[in-house]
Amino acid sequence: RHAGSAKPCWIQHRLADGAEYYLSLQTFEGSWQRPRGGGLNTTHLSREEIQSVVTRVTAMHDRECLWASNVTFVVRLQARLRGFLVRREFTARRHILREQRPAAIRIQACWRGYKQRRAYLERLCYLQANTDAAIKIQAGVRMWQARRKYQERLRYFRQNVSDGMGSKTAPGSVEKPLQFHQKPIRASRRPLEGKEILGERGVPSSRASADSQRWEQAAACLSSSPLPTCFGDAVGKQPPFLCLSWQIKSVIKIQAFVRANKARGDYRMLGKWGWWGPAVSTTAGGAVRGPWPPATPRHLGLAWCSSSLQTQPVYLARLIFQMPQNKSTKFMESVIFTLYNYASNPREAYLLLQLFKAALQEEIRSKVDHIHDILTGNATVIRLVVSFYRNARGQNALRQILGGPVQEVLQDKTLSIRTNPVDIYKAWINQTESQSGQKSKLPYEVSPEQALSHPEVQRRLDISIRNLLAMTDKFVSAITSSVDKIPYGMRYVARILRTSLAEKFPKASEEEIDKIVGNLLYYRFMNPAVVAPDGFDIVDISAGVTLHPDHRRNLGSIAKVLQHAAARKAFDGENVHLCGVNQYLEDTHNKFRRFISAACCVPEPEERFNVDEYSEMVAMAKPVIYITVGELINTHKLLLEHQNSIAPHHGDPLHELLEDLDELPTVQSLVGESVPSLVDSSAEQVLSQLSKMEISLTLTGKLVPAASSEESDTRSLLLSTKQMLVDVIQSQPGDSLPEILWTLASEHEEASHDHLMRRRALRDAQTPAKLKRNRSLAANNQLSMEEKKRKIIRNLRRLESLGLVDSTHQYQELIDELAKDIRNQRRYRQHRKGELLKLRQTLQGLNAKTLFYEEQIDYYNQYIKTCLDNLAASNKVSGKNKKLQSLHYTAARLFEKGVLLEIEDLPLSQFRNVIFDIIPCEESGRFQVKAKFMGIDMERFQLHYQDLLQLQYEGVAVMKMFDKAKVNVNLLIFLLNKKFFKK
């Protein structure tokens, strides 16, 4: 080594006790003291340093191996973190959008409004520029429509009408079945002008009275005949003038009759349809329909009694609670709704609500001792109200309220709501075994506490609760925001229930009363539709398809939470695991209370239906109900049994009405002797059919006598006198009526009168023939002024003899009548407009009802077809369509089986020569039966499985085939099920 390059040879060692020892690497000398000359050698590594380096390197190597073995978990952790960050950012963004949503909607609305106004102005300018062309096109289209309508009408009359006596049939041709109009014939009638109702100076004209008489005649004709005469041209008779509402009701009746006969394949009754309708006919449902017999004291008494029951709801309200609960339900469904025409018009709706009000108040007064008896006692009136308002109209309201959230639950395939810990535990075990393929080591049967001890069960329960509350909140929002969609009757009954309970139980808190009202509005009215939406037509479901059990469980859990929220009932006891939902129930209950308060805020029925205490007295048309003879007799029987309870006071008018009716009527006394007996039917069957006869009963109060011919003549006399007096006063003024009548008219006044009559004659010449004034009023126009005065004087004497006017008062009564007509002319016009609006609404309602029934028929037909297809599908072997074999039986064999009873004009010894072939057709449930005699084809018969089931349902045990062979319906169905449907 060169000089100066030598390294220090001493190294330092530190002992365990902290002492320092020095060693020379050259001489291997040791010393406890630090050497004086030279430094220490620092390049020498100690044991500790070597050990620390080895440990550090080993640790680094182990860490790299650990990271390499946990790459998957690290990636999942990073994904979770990134997902959390993205969700937090999305939540913040959605929060901002929700806060700014009203501003965005306002901006969009302004922009859309600007675009719409600009488009409208452009379109308006375009139309104004092309007005002449549009008018020309419209004129051409109207001309083409009128020409086509005229040609179709002309063609129809040429084919069906000849010389006003029906269609003529050429020799050898087949007569066509009777045809009916699809729509009523519209009369050429226009609204009356104000000057036509009142004279030139505001005095009522004769034309208004004539129209009023026509309306009364049409209403009377409708109530007396169940068949429309507006179709008289189809049978060769000219119908009288009828109003539109009468024609609409007539169309309903004639279409129902035609459909019933065509459905049965019976066209014979159509040929018997005459001016006053068929004598008696049997509908498809087995009910007999026929015209009401001529009015008798008994029939008038029944009309009086029915009118009293309808207008005095306290009678029916007391009668309901006099019968057992099972009988009262049947009575209410069969009679009460029929008596009120199912609230088909405002009058019946108003009276039905009065019945509900009286019955509910009576039940609370007499049967409710504690406020909670309404909940536990299944109140009769509550059950009646809910069943009535959950009909077609109520179902439509429920569909609008609950359709959205229910559809959302059904469409969410991933939604699973399970609140039972044991069910969650079992589902978890099943899922684990399905995924692993091995049996779980956990026990299958556990208690709820044991199931909740597993973290996985708790996690799934928390997810289900969150989903449950989210979906329940949507239902609560839909219910509380749809107060106006609840039927008015339900809301009014809820209001009556609330006020009646508050009056009887003044110490009860408002919250307790709201719970009972909420039980009516939600639990009884809405809750069944939430649990079973398919049963209340809330959602559209194909025929034969049912809800999935998971969907039913989800809806049931939601309905349970809603029920607890409406009743403010917390989860405890067995449902203690749901105690976290109790706070949500408190908040939701407050929403329900606000919903109940809003639902009870409804106007009175008098304001809603525009009815007052004078409406019944001034009504022009008398109410008509359609009720069966059996229901009429049963109602009379119940009134006789409970009349002392219904009318406790002896002077009650109901006792007088029942005394007039005398004993209980029979079916024969109500139907009359004009109804022919049915062929091949026993007496009991005839009476059963006649008891189902649906009759129209015109309701008339006993204290309001029917208008007689004398009263009609008096009315005509008064009207004619007023009309002539108006003509005289217009031409010859005076201070008093006698002065005018006894003073000769001047030439100027005569000329003024003639001018007035000529103008009226010109106006009448332009009036359609059906709207012209009657002949007696028209004849008065031909009289001179002096002749009219003499006739007025004669009429005044007759009116004075009748007590209508008094000469000592200068006939002031007649002047008052004229002034009253002038004062009420505005009311007359409004009443006429209301009648026209009512007719239009009636037509719209009929169209909607027709569409509803057509949809129902389509649904039932689809359901029946599905059932028949399922029956036919059970015959398929190994998934392949195999043609069904025909059945061949001799008549003797079928006689031994009991299927064949007899064959007319054929002895029993010849049955072995008769062979019946039952051949299945391509259409499911349809068979062709061939009859052979000694190998020769005789006749064929189309047999429908549906017809057999219908006969079995109606209790018909024997039917005819080929108009000769009588077969047992039940055994024939058994044979077809066994051979073709494998049942």
Side-chain angles (χ1 to χ4, degrees):
R1 292 181 182 271
H2 297 285
S5 63
K7 296 181 178 179
C9 60
W10 290 94
I11 60 174
Q12 180 182 5
H13 292 278
R14 191 178 298 276
L15 302 181
D17 57 355
E20 296 179 352
Y21 179 75
Y22 301 93
L23 178 65
S24 175
L25 295 179
Q26 293 180 356
T27 61
F28 298 104
E29 295 178 2
S31 176
W32 294 99
Q33 296 180 354
R34 184 182 180 88
R36 297 180 179 177
L40 297 178
N41 191 347
T42 58
T43 60
H44 181 74
L45 298 176
S46 65
R47 182 175 179 275
E48 289 78 7
E49 292 175 344
I50 295 174
Q51 183 64 36
S52 64
V53 171
V54 172
T55 301
R56 187 167 61 252
V57 172
T58 303
M60 293 176 61
H61 179 266
D62 293 342
R63 187 171 182 79
E64 291 179 358
C65 294
L66 180 62
W67 279 103
S69 62
N70 292 279
V71 171
T72 304
F73 296 100
V74 172
V75 172
R76 291 176 59 187
L77 178 61
Q78 292 176 346
R80 295 290 178 87
L81 292 175
R82 292 191 183 97
F84 167 74
L85 295 175
V86 171
R87 284 192 294 273
R88 185 175 64 180
E89 183 180 358
F90 171 75
T91 303
R93 180 63 178 171
R94 184 175 59 179
H95 179 69
I96 294 174
L97 291 178
R98 285 181 176 178
E99 288 183 347
Q100 301 298 329
R101 183 179 180 182
I105 293 175
R106 187 63 179 271
I107 294 172
Q108 292 175 353
C110 293
W111 173 248
R112 291 194 182 99
Y114 166 74
K115 290 178 61 179
Q116 190 65 26
R117 286 191 296 272
R118 186 177 62 183
Y120 170 75
L121 293 175
E122 293 177 355
R123 183 65 177 172
L124 185 61
C125 294
Y126 175 78
L127 291 177
Q128 290 176 351
N130 296 274
T131 302
D132 296 337
I135 294 174
K136 191 69 174 178
I137 294 173
Q138 291 175 354
V141 172
R142 291 193 185 98
M143 178 185 65
W144 175 77
Q145 290 179 345
R147 184 187 298 113
R148 185 182 62 175
K149 183 177 180 181
Y150 169 75
Q151 291 176 352
E152 290 177 355
R153 190 66 177 167
L154 183 61
R155 189 183 307 111
Y156 171 79
F157 276 98
R158 287 175 177 174
Q159 293 176 356
N160 298 277
V161 181
S162 177
D163 296 333
M165 295 300 294
S167 61
K168 295 182 177 180
T169 306
S173 62
V174 180
E175 185 178 359
K176 296 183 179 180
L178 184 61
Q179 299 181 2
F180 296 93
H181 294 286
Q182 296 296 328
K183 297 181 179 180
I185 303 174
R186 181 179 301 172
S188 57
R189 183 187 180 100
R190 61 182 178 86
L192 299 177
E193 300 295 337
K195 292 183 178 180
E196 295 175 351
I197 297 177
L198 300 174
E200 294 293 333
R201 297 186 180 180
V203 182
S205 65
S206 60
R207 178 177 179 181
S209 176
D211 288 337
S212 176
Q213 291 179 4
R214 291 192 186 102
W215 281 74
E216 293 178 356
Q217 292 172 1
C221 184
L222 175 60
S223 62
S224 63
S225 174
L227 301 175
T229 58
C230 62
F231 298 92
D233 57 335
V235 293
K237 295 179 183 277
Q238 182 64 26
F241 173 80
L242 299 173
C243 63
L244 179 59
S245 62
W246 185 87
Q247 293 178 357
I248 292 174
K249 295 180 180 179
S250 301
V251 170
I252 297 173
K253 295 177 181 178
I254 195 170
Q255 289 179 351
F257 180 79
V258 173
R259 282 197 301 268
N261 285 275
K262 286 186 176 181
R264 196 173 60 255
D266 185 6
Y267 292 88
R268 294 172 296 175
M269 297 304 296
L270 300 181
K272 299 178 182 179
W273 198 297
W275 178 265
W276 296 110
V280 173
S281 62
T282 306
T283 62
V288 180
R289 288 195 176 187
W292 182 250
T296 63
R298 181 182 297 276
H299 301 149
L300 293 178
L302 289 174
W304 294 340
C305 186
S306 301
S307 178
S308 299
L309 292 178
Q310 192 186 68
T311 55
Q312 301 295 328
V314 66
Y315 294 148
L316 285 178
R318 294 171 181 171
L319 180 60
I320 291 173
F321 302 112
Q322 296 300 322
M323 296 180 296
Q325 188 172 358
N326 56 348
K327 293 185 178 180
S328 64
T329 302
K330 182 178 180 181
F331 167 75
M332 288 183 298
E333 292 181 354
S334 62
V335 175
I336 291 184
F337 294 158
T338 301
L339 186 62
Y340 288 95
N341 273 336
Y342 289 87
S344 57
N345 56 58
R347 176 186 175 275
E348 273 79 17
Y350 168 79
L351 293 175
L352 183 60
L353 276 181
Q354 296 303 311
L355 171 63
F356 289 156
K357 176 182 177 180
L360 183 58
Q361 292 175 344
E362 177 71 17
E363 185 168 13
I364 292 176
R365 182 186 62 81
S366 60
K367 292 193 174 184
V368 178
D369 298 328
H370 192 270
I371 190 171
H372 293 289
D373 291 346
I374 294 289
L375 303 178
T376 59
N378 193 16
T380 303
V381 181
I382 299 298
R383 187 174 65 253
L384 172 64
V385 171
V386 173
S387 65
F388 178 76
Y389 287 107
R390 266 206 313 241
N391 58 4
R393 290 173 292 182
Q395 284 185 4
N396 188 27
L398 291 174
R399 187 184 182 98
Q400 294 179 2
I401 297 173
L402 303 174
V406 169
Q407 193 68 30
E408 187 173 351
V409 172
L410 299 181
Q411 290 178 353
D412 192 351
K413 304 299 182 182
T414 61
L415 179 64
S416 178
I417 300 177
R418 296 176 184 267
T419 57
N420 190 344
V422 177
D423 293 342
I424 297 176
Y425 174 80
K426 292 181 179 180
W428 173 47
I429 295 298
N430 294 335
Q431 182 181 1
T432 305
E433 292 178 350
S434 300
Q435 292 178 353
S436 62
Q438 298 179 358
K439 183 178 180 181
S440 176
K441 298 179 180 180
L442 299 175
Y444 193 74
E445 298 294 338
V446 294
S447 64
E449 292 77 10
Q450 293 175 345
L452 287 173
S453 63
H454 297 276
E456 180 64 19
V457 175
Q458 294 181 358
R459 186 184 69 84
R460 296 192 178 196
L461 178 61
D462 293 339
I463 295 175
S464 295
I465 291 176
R466 287 197 297 270
N467 294 336
L468 173 62
L469 296 183
M471 295 307 302
T472 304
D473 202 44
K474 295 181 180 179
F475 276 83
V476 172
S477 300
I479 293 173
T480 55
S481 62
S482 304
V483 178
D484 296 335
K485 297 179 182 178
I486 301 176
Y488 168 79
M490 281 294 302
R491 297 177 62 185
Y492 181 72
V493 172
R495 172 187 169 183
I496 296 301
L497 177 63
R498 192 180 192 185
T499 55
S500 300
L501 291 176
E503 291 176 358
K504 184 167 185 179
F505 304 101
K507 296 183 180 180
S509 62
E510 186 177 353
E511 182 179 354
E512 289 181 337
I513 296 177
D514 286 347
K515 287 182 181 180
I516 298 176
V517 178
N519 178 270
L520 168 64
L521 291 178
Y522 171 72
Y523 180 72
R524 294 181 180 271
F525 183 63
M526 297 184 184
N527 187 71
V530 177
V531 177
D534 52 339
F536 294 90
D537 198 23
I538 304 300
V539 292
D540 297 327
I541 299 178
S542 302
V545 179
T546 59
L547 291 182
H548 194 273
D550 292 342
H551 293 158
R552 290 195 181 277
R553 184 184 63 251
N554 296 340
L555 292 173
S557 301
I558 294 172
K560 183 178 180 180
V561 175
L562 290 173
Q563 180 183 350
H564 278 67
R568 199 182 182 184
K569 182 179 179 181
F571 287 108
D572 53 7
E574 296 180 356
N575 297 321
V576 69
H577 56 279
L578 298 177
C579 60
V581 186
N582 292 339
Q583 183 59 41
Y584 175 81
L585 297 180
E586 289 284 340
D587 300 337
T588 307
H589 179 72
N590 295 330
K591 296 181 181 179
F592 267 108
R593 290 194 62 184
R594 292 192 293 270
F595 163 74
I596 292 169
S597 300
C600 293
C601 294
V602 291
E604 290 291 338
E606 289 80 5
E607 180 182 352
R608 170 82 177 187
F609 300 109
N610 193 21
V611 176
D612 53 30
E613 63 272 22
Y614 304 108
S615 298
E616 194 73 18
M617 302 172 65
V618 301
M620 299 293 294
K622 296 180 178 60
V624 178
I625 63 172
Y626 298 89
I627 188 171
T628 63
V629 175
E631 291 174 347
L632 206 57
I633 295 175
N634 292 334
T635 304
H636 188 193
K637 181 180 179 181
L638 291 172
L639 291 176
L640 291 176
E641 293 177 355
H642 306 283
Q643 61 175 327
N644 293 329
S645 300
I646 297 173
H649 300 290
H650 182 70
D652 196 287
L654 184 63
H655 292 291
E656 183 179 354
L657 292 175
L658 294 178
E659 290 177 0
D660 293 341
L661 288 174
D662 198 13
E663 60 183 8
L664 186 68
T666 61
V667 176
Q668 296 90 334
S669 62
L670 291 181
V671 175
E673 299 179 356
S674 61
V675 179
S677 60
L678 301 179
V679 185
D680 296 336
S681 298
S682 62
E684 294 182 357
Q685 292 178 345
V686 173
L687 291 178
S688 176
Q689 292 291 331
L690 293 180
S691 64
K692 298 178 183 179
M693 174 183 289
E694 190 179 71
I695 59 177
S696 61
L697 188 63
T698 303
L699 304 186
T700 305
K702 184 178 181 181
L703 300 179
V704 183
S708 61
S709 59
E710 296 180 358
E711 293 179 351
S712 178
D713 294 340
T714 303
R715 225 173 20 245
S716 300
L717 178 63
L718 180 61
L719 178 62
S720 175
T721 305
K722 288 196 298 183
Q723 179 62 59
M724 291 188 294
L725 186 58
V726 167
D727 297 340
V728 172
I729 293 176
Q730 285 181 344
S731 303
Q732 181 181 354
D735 296 335
S736 63
L737 184 57
E739 179 184 350
I740 296 175
L741 296 177
W742 294 102
T743 303
L744 293 176
S746 63
E747 295 182 359
H748 176 71
E749 292 170 346
E750 285 282 359
S752 176
H753 176 266
D754 294 341
H755 178 68
L756 179 63
M757 293 300 101
R758 283 196 299 269
R759 285 199 306 170
R760 181 177 298 171
L762 293 175
R763 186 172 64 248
D764 290 344
Q766 300 175 357
T767 304
K770 293 183 178 181
L771 294 181
K772 288 185 178 179
R773 62 186 76 242
N774 55 35
R775 295 181 179 179
S776 61
L777 295 178
N780 293 335
N781 296 334
Q782 308 297 329
L783 300 177
S784 64
M785 194 169 181
E786 293 300 327
E787 291 174 344
K788 282 186 178 181
K789 288 182 180 181
R790 289 193 293 269
K791 189 172 183 179
I792 290 174
I793 293 173
R794 291 196 301 271
N795 291 349
L796 288 176
R797 290 171 182 170
R798 291 180 58 188
L799 292 175
E800 187 174 8
S801 63
L802 295 173
L804 297 179
V805 296
D806 190 359
S807 59
T808 58
H809 296 157
Q810 297 183 349
Y811 307 108
Q812 186 61 35
E813 295 84 1
L814 193 59
I815 301 299
D816 294 341
E817 287 291 331
L818 293 175
K820 187 185 299 184
D821 291 338
I822 296 173
R823 188 177 68 248
N824 294 333
Q825 58 179 339
R826 178 173 174 271
R827 184 178 300 175
Y828 294 154
R829 288 195 296 267
Q830 291 179 348
H831 180 71
R832 185 173 64 253
K833 291 180 180 178
E835 289 292 331
L836 293 176
L837 179 61
K838 186 186 301 183
L839 291 176
R840 296 190 185 100
Q841 293 175 351
T842 302
L843 183 59
Q844 293 177 358
L846 291 175
N847 293 333
K849 187 176 182 180
T850 302
L851 180 61
F852 171 75
Y853 284 135
E854 289 176 353
E855 292 177 354
Q856 291 291 98
I857 291 173
D858 294 340
Y859 176 81
Y860 292 146
N861 291 336
Q862 184 181 2
Y863 178 76
I864 293 173
K865 185 178 182 299
T866 303
C867 294
L868 293 176
D869 293 341
N870 292 337
L871 288 175
S874 63
N875 254 351
K876 296 180 180 178
V877 182
S878 301
K880 298 180 180 179
N881 294 331
K882 185 177 180 181
K883 186 176 181 181
L884 298 177
Q885 301 296 327
S886 304
L887 295 181
H888 306 279
Y889 286 101
T890 62
R893 180 58 178 163
L894 291 178
F895 182 78
E896 293 176 2
K897 288 179 172 290
V899 178
L900 181 64
L901 300 179
E902 65 172 341
I903 300 178
E904 296 180 0
D905 302 331
L906 188 68
L908 188 63
S909 59
Q910 295 293 330
F911 276 20
R912 69 175 187 273
N913 297 327
V914 179
I915 299 177
F916 291 99
D917 295 338
I918 304 177
I919 305 172
C921 301
E922 295 182 358
E923 181 182 352
S924 301
R926 185 178 177 184
F927 304 91
Q928 186 178 29
V929 182
K930 295 182 180 180
K932 298 180 180 179
F933 183 73
M934 300 184 68
I936 300 175
D937 290 339
M938 301 300 293
E939 295 186 40
R940 298 186 180 187
F941 182 80
Q942 290 293 334
L943 184 64
H944 293 271
Y945 191 73
Q946 292 177 233
D947 297 340
L948 294 177
L949 295 178
Q950 179 66 25
L951 292 174
Q952 187 184 47
Y953 175 77
E954 294 176 355
V956 179
V958 179
M959 65 170 288
K960 270 191 175 184
M961 294 174 57
F962 310 107
D963 293 331
K964 294 182 179 180
K966 293 185 178 180
V967 297
N968 188 305
V969 175
N970 297 322
L971 295 181
L972 180 58
I973 293 176
F974 177 80
L975 179 64
L976 296 178
N977 288 338
K978 182 178 180 181
K979 298 299 182 179
F980 294 102
F981 300 128
K982 306 299 181 184
K983 294 175 65 177

